[in-house]
Every structure is written in structure tokens, then in C-alpha cells.
Amino acid sequence: YRINNAFKGYAHRESYLEEAVKTLKVEDCPDYEYRKGQKGSVIVIGGKGEKIINTYGHTNNVMYRLSVFRSMTLEKYNELKKEDKLPKADYITYVTRDAHQGLSASERSEKRYGTNNECPQGNKYHLVSKKDSSIDDKGRYTMYISDNNNNRDIQGPNGFRDGIAIHEHDRKGSKGCLTLASGNGEPGTNTLGKIPVEELYNEIPDLFLHEVMKDAERTDDNGLVHDMSIDRRPVRLILEEREVIEKTNNNKPYWEGFIDEEYKV
């Protein structure tokens, strides 16, 4: 649809796809069998630090693996994981999870998952786009974490929290966001800016596919109009418990990630 939104030659292209599926024996692939009929995506963010990167003067960004499993429901993911049959992730990147390092003591909670500290662990989150999480399509970032798939809200130990995003900035002052620590992209800073964030977003089509296809239709050779729109599909997010060392900053505790040398990539 991105290439040809008029669906010119759609039936012809569809026949080629069907022939390719047969020729390449797609239905014999175990990965296909696991994902057959599955609608939605699962994002998993691990709790083990795997590498450290330094960006625009900020050091020791401990990074955690983010894995994207497309064409998979949360229920199917849990089933396959229990059976040790999970397929390889469709896309992998790394994000920070440490928070509040640049904030004063008065700005953050003493609780690990409290105000302005790291996002609470959980296996029932949703990842939502800027548009789907806002009634006016506004927002600073591209992706947000939500409890219910329709906003940017979660519940933490101190109560309501909102605006926890996946973005490009450093962990320092991130207030619980998950960051790719890719910087502002300004000349001379040796940073990539929003590029890694956009790459991640594009690797999760279920975040935006319904927006692209909401008015999609095609007219066949007989003049019949076919509705080609795609309903919104859930993107579930699992945030595993993070391995940390408790320290103190500005007379308040904080929880710093570390690298297990045996696990390091």
C-alpha cells in the first residue's frame, strides 16, 4: 500500500504472492506454524545489562535488549516461552532503563518505581503510538507505555504516572523513560538523534498500520469496491525485572544497572 495506494494490479500481485508461498514451502516452516493466525506484536525488554554506551558526554549507559516479535499475541508468546519454543526475534535493539540520575532529591521518590524513578516492571503493558495515546494527536515522543492501550497512563507505587516513552535522549533525567541514548543528532555531537527510534518504530507495523490503511479500498475489474482497511492490533510490552545495585545520590537511593561479564555482548 505504501508503494501503490491505488492497488493497481493488486490481483496480479496477490497471485504472485500465493505462488511464492507455495514454492518456498512457507507452511512447512516451524516459525510460520507458531505465528499462523496471530495478530498483534509482543515487545520484550530484558532485565540483564548487556552493554554500555557513552553518548555526548554522558557515560555508562547500561543497555538492555529489546526484542520485537511480530505476528504474535501475548498469550502465544507466554505459551511458546513456557515450552521453550520461542522463535528468533524479528528485530533487536538496546535501550536504557536507569532513570533520574540528573534530577535533584526533591524531584524523585525514595521508592524504586516511584515518581520520576524507573518504570515499574510488568507483563501486561501496551506500547502505543503518539496518535493512539492522545485525543489531539499531540505528544513529544513517538511511542508511549500504557496500562490500557488508549492513553499514556500507568499506575506506580506513588499512584498515577504518565508520559513514559521510548525516546532518543540519555538516561540522565529520563524520569522513567526507556531510551536509545542516541542523542540530539546535532552537528559535532557524534550522535544519531531520532534515527534509531524511527527504526524501532518502523519495525513494529502494528503500531501504525491501521492509521496508514484506515481508508484503504480497491475497485476490482467488475467495479466492485473492496474494503482493505486494517483494524488496530495490540502491541503488548513485557518489562522484565531489572538487575541493579542500590546506591545513593543527593541523599536518596537510586538503582543502577550493571553488566554481568558472562552475559555481556
Side-chain angles (χ1 to χ4, degrees):
Y1 182 78
R2 285 183 169 183
I3 295 170
N4 184 351
N5 62 14
F7 288 98
K8 184 177 181 180
Y10 177 83
H12 191 214
R13 287 181 284 145
E14 188 176 41
S15 68
Y16 272 109
L17 176 62
E18 291 173 352
E19 187 62 32
V21 168
K22 295 177 183 177
T23 303
L24 297 173
K25 298 182 179 180
V26 171
E27 293 189 359
D28 294 338
C29 174
D31 188 52
Y32 171 82
E33 184 64 31
Y34 295 146
R35 299 170 190 260
K36 185 177 181 180
Q38 299 291 304
K39 292 185 177 180
S41 300
V42 176
I43 314 299
V44 182
I45 301 178
K48 291 181 177 289
E50 293 194 34
K51 62 180 180 179
I52 293 177
I53 66 170
N54 302 323
T55 58
Y56 54 104
H58 295 161
T59 60
N60 299 328
N61 286 287
V62 179
M63 308 297 287
Y64 303 82
R65 183 179 303 197
L66 183 155
S67 302
V68 177
F69 295 89
R70 294 191 291 266
S71 297
M72 189 172 292
T73 63
L74 182 61
E75 293 73 20
K76 190 66 174 180
Y77 173 87
N78 289 331
E79 174 191 325
L80 294 176
K81 183 176 181 181
K82 184 177 181 180
E83 297 174 354
D84 196 26
K85 293 182 178 179
L86 277 175
K88 291 182 179 180
D90 295 290
Y91 180 75
I92 291 174
T93 188
Y94 294 86
V95 295
T96 72
R97 293 180 59 179
D98 295 70
H100 65 59
Q101 301 305 298
L103 301 181
S104 67
S106 62
E107 292 179 285
R108 54 189 175 85
S109 171
E110 291 188 354
K111 300 175 182 178
R112 178 173 174 182
Y113 302 119
T115 303
N116 290 334
N117 288 347
E118 72 177 282
C119 183
Q121 66 189 56
N123 59 8
K124 296 183 179 180
Y125 287 126
H126 296 261
L127 188 65
V128 291
S129 69
K130 177 171 63 177
K131 184 171 184 178
D132 286 330
S133 63
S134 173
I135 59 174
D136 55 10
D137 298 347
K138 293 182 179 179
R140 185 178 180 184
Y141 301 117
T142 307
M143 297 167 277
Y144 292 91
I145 295 174
S146 169
D147 275 341
N148 60 24
N149 201 36
N150 293 313
N151 53 33
R152 307 167 186 175
D153 306 339
I154 70 166
Q155 287 293 320
N158 295 132
F160 167 82
R161 294 183 67 175
D162 72 336
I164 296 181
I166 297 180
H167 61 65
E168 69 273 16
H169 299 300
D170 193 87
R171 69 189 174 102
K172 296 188 177 183
S174 67
K175 300 183 181 181
C177 291
L178 311 170
T179 88
L180 284 94
S182 49
N184 295 320
E186 297 174 352
T189 61
N190 194 31
T191 60
L192 296 173
K194 295 182 180 180
I195 293 174
V197 179
E198 292 170 352
E199 288 180 352
L200 171 60
Y201 180 77
N202 287 327
E203 290 288 347
I204 314 172
D206 287 328
L207 273 180
F208 57 83
L209 190 59
H210 63 287
E211 298 174 12
V212 177
M213 299 290 287
K214 64 180 180 180
D215 299 319
E217 61 181 30
R218 77 176 180 93
T219 303
D220 64 22
D221 294 338
N222 298 316
L224 294 176
V225 177
H226 299 265
D227 179 7
M228 303 296 289
S229 61
I230 294 177
D231 293 333
R232 186 179 176 194
R233 299 171 180 174
V235 179
R236 305 304 302 269
L237 186 142
I238 298 171
L239 200 59
E240 296 180 351
E241 183 176 7
R242 191 166 64 99
E243 296 182 354
V244 297
I245 300 172
E246 185 172 330
K247 297 185 177 181
T248 301
N249 181 33
N250 289 323
N251 298 317
K252 279 192 176 179
Y254 73 96
W255 294 265
E256 186 173 87
F258 63 92
I259 302 295
D260 185 336
E261 289 300 325
E262 294 183 358
Y263 193 74
K264 186 176 180 180
V265 297

